Amino acid sequence: MEKQNQTIETLNTFLQGIYMGVHSYEHFIKKLQHPPLKDSFISIQKDQKNHAAIISERIQHLGGTPVTSEGMIGKIEGAIGNLFEKYDSDQEIIKHAIKGENIYGIRMSEDLVRDKLDEESLGKVQKILDKDREHVDFLKSLLHS
């Protein structure tokens, strides 16, 4: 039971990170100038929302209650970030999205879940992180097009 509680807690923390991503993309979408670029960011945000549903379902399957937001700390960090982040161009927004996906979406999540999940939960998280890596590659391609 201890391992299952640790898995639920870890998945909920991971889920809070996903919600931070959803809200970050919401902020980016409002700031973007070019409609095709907005559409690309909306698509990534849609993937993030789907990831949240997958993790929420896994938490429920394990007998836990999934969180429904990024939590108070995540909200505060997001609000502070929004106050100080100034975007002069769509290119700057893309760069910020890449940084967020790499540092918060992938690296911190890998550290978070290391040795804390059962095999099935880890498999779901790995698929999500693989999709996040695809997002990073796509965003990088936008910088060079």
Side-chain angles (χ1 to χ4, degrees):
M1 190 57 113
E2 178 69 29
K3 178 69 173 169
Q4 188 168 332
N5 288 338
Q6 178 184 21
T7 297
I8 291 168
E9 185 177 315
T10 301
L11 288 173
N12 263 323
T13 302
F14 180 69
L15 183 55
Q16 286 178 314
I18 294 172
Y19 285 128
M20 283 181 72
V22 168
H23 293 127
S24 292
Y25 276 97
E26 192 171 296
H27 180 72
F28 296 148
I29 290 163
K30 289 178 186 175
K31 300 280 184 185
L32 288 166
Q33 299 301 311
H34 295 89
L37 196 51
K38 279 188 181 204
D39 290 343
S40 295
F41 272 62
I42 289 169
S43 178
I44 292 172
Q45 185 188 44
K46 188 175 175 182
D47 285 344
Q48 295 286 333
K49 289 177 180 179
N50 184 46
H51 296 163
I54 290 166
I55 297 302
S56 292
E57 184 178 303
R58 179 66 184 150
I59 292 167
Q60 290 172 323
H61 180 77
L62 292 169
T65 302
V67 296
T68 57
S69 74
E70 70 270 30
M72 187 55 69
I73 292 174
K75 287 179 183 177
I76 291 169
E77 287 176 353
I80 290 170
N82 290 342
L83 285 176
F84 294 107
E85 291 296 332
K86 301 294 182 221
Y87 308 113
D88 295 327
S89 67
D90 285 352
Q91 295 293 91
E92 289 298 315
I93 294 172
I94 295 168
K95 288 176 186 176
H96 194 75
I98 291 168
K99 180 180 175 184
E101 287 271 7
N102 268 328
I103 294 172
Y104 302 110
I106 299 170
R107 291 183 194 147
M108 288 179 73
S109 294
E110 287 174 334
D111 290 342
L112 169 71
V113 303
R114 188 171 291 118
D115 302 324
K116 294 181 185 166
L117 298 178
D118 62 278
E119 191 174 321
E120 185 175 343
S121 297
L122 183 59
K124 290 180 183 303
V125 168
Q126 290 298 343
K127 284 182 183 178
I128 288 169
L129 294 178
D130 287 345
K131 188 67 175 174
D132 288 344
R133 286 182 189 91
E134 289 177 23
H135 293 156
V136 170
D137 291 341
F138 174 73
L139 291 168
K140 285 179 179 177
S141 76
L142 293 175
L143 284 178
H144 304 295
S145 59

